[in-house]
């Protein structure tokens, strides 16, 4: 019965028909909802990024997090997850440092997002989710672990930055990208170059739930 607000990319977004067979690309959310019994408000954005790179990335995830239309859900939430950020990786958003405070870098974007969410709901349990890698399909669609971007960075470095910022900001992080083993060696979990198959969605959800079920909500801590 806990209230869950889910921000993220197409991996989270269930409000589209861009996945296999015209299904949504966001496969893990329904499985995690069923496992956990949470009430979900899904704010995933297919193609969304959290950072801004002029002419490339527009920071749609950050816009959603700070949108007045989502404020009521944020203020009522027991748990807020932020999944990402493969689009920022492909769009060459600089990783930055822990001292950054705006979304011109990944670390700055996470600082901005998490501190904003805490300012609106200090009791929320915030959990960052790292993103899985993909496979080679063709020269336009390839996301194996060996791919680097124009900055010479690899996807694991973006996931490492997410983990670092969670430690710095004092929120939770689940390294579902690595621990789910959704990658080029387990293609049964992939519907295409990066999006999850139904089996992959179940696997990603199971990986998150392995840890999430042992995280108590801040709102549950009371003295009687």
């Amino acid at each position: 019965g806990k209230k869950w607000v889910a921000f993220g990319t197409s991996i989270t977004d269930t409000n589209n028909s861009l996945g296999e067979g015209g299904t949504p690309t966001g496969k893990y959310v329904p499985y995690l909802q069923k496992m956990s019994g949470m009430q979900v408000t899904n704010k995933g954005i297919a193609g969304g990024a959290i950072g801004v790179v002029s002419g490339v990335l527009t920071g749609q995830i950050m816009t959603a997090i700070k949108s007045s239309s989502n404020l009521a859900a944020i203020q009522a939430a027991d748990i807020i997850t932020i999944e990402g950020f493969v689009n920022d990786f492909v769009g060459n958003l600089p990783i930055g440092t822990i001292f950054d405070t705006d979304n011109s870098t990944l670390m700055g974007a996470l600082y901005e997002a998490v501190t904003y969410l805490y300012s609106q709901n200090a009791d929320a349990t915030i959990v960052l989710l790292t993103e899985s890698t993909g496979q080679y399909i063709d020269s336009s669609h390839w996301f194996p672990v060996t791919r680097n971007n124009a900055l010479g960075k690899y996807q694991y470095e973006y996931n490492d930055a997410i983990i670092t910022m969670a430690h710095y900001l004092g929120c939770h992080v689940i390294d579902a990208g690595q621990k789910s083993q959704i990658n080029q060696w387990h293609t049964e979990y992939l519907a295409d170059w990066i999006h999850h198959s139904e089996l992959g969605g179940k696997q990603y959800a199971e990986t998150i739930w392995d840890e999430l079920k042992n995280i108590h909500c801040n709102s549950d801590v009371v003295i009687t």
Side-chain angles (χ1 to χ4, degrees), residues 10-107:
S10 56
I11 301 299
T12 294
D13 187 1
T14 56
N15 189 32
N16 66 63
S17 56
L18 303 173
E20 56 182 338
T23 61
T25 51
K27 293 293 193 291
Y28 81 91
V29 170
Y31 289 109
L32 185 57
Q33 182 181 18
K34 185 175 181 180
M35 292 170 193
S36 65
M38 294 188 291
Q39 303 172 39
V40 64
T41 300
N42 192 323
K43 296 297 178 179
I45 302 172
I50 198 168
V52 172
V53 174
S54 179
V56 182
L57 303 176
T58 60
Q60 305 100 310
I61 296 173
M62 184 71 75
T63 299
I65 288 171
K66 302 183 84 169
S67 171
S68 59
S69 64
N70 294 328
L71 183 57
I74 288 169
Q75 292 177 332
D78 296 294
I79 177 171
I80 301 169
T81 59
I82 312 176
E83 163 268 318
F85 299 94
V86 68
N87 297 316
D88 295 272
F89 158 69
V90 175
N92 305 307
L93 180 71
I95 290 174
T97 74
I98 61 170
F99 305 109
D100 296 337
T101 57
D102 64 47
N103 65 345
S104 61
T105 70
L106 177 61
M107 286 183 160

Side-chain angles (χ1 to χ4, degrees), residues 50 62 82 84-85 93-116 118 126-130 156-175:
I50 198 168
M62 184 71 75
I82 312 176
F85 299 94
L93 180 71
I95 290 174
T97 74
I98 61 170
F99 305 109
D100 296 337
T101 57
D102 64 47
N103 65 345
S104 61
T105 70
L106 177 61
M107 286 183 160
L110 287 169
Y111 179 91
E112 184 178 349
V114 172
T115 55
Y116 171 80
Y118 276 140
I126 297 175
V127 183
L128 306 183
L129 304 173
T130 64
Y156 83 87
E157 295 178 90
Y158 284 72
N159 285 345
D160 284 351
I162 294 167
I163 295 168
T164 296
M165 287 306 290
H167 292 169
Y168 175 61
L169 294 168
C171 63
H172 291 279
V173 60
I174 297 175
D175 189 12

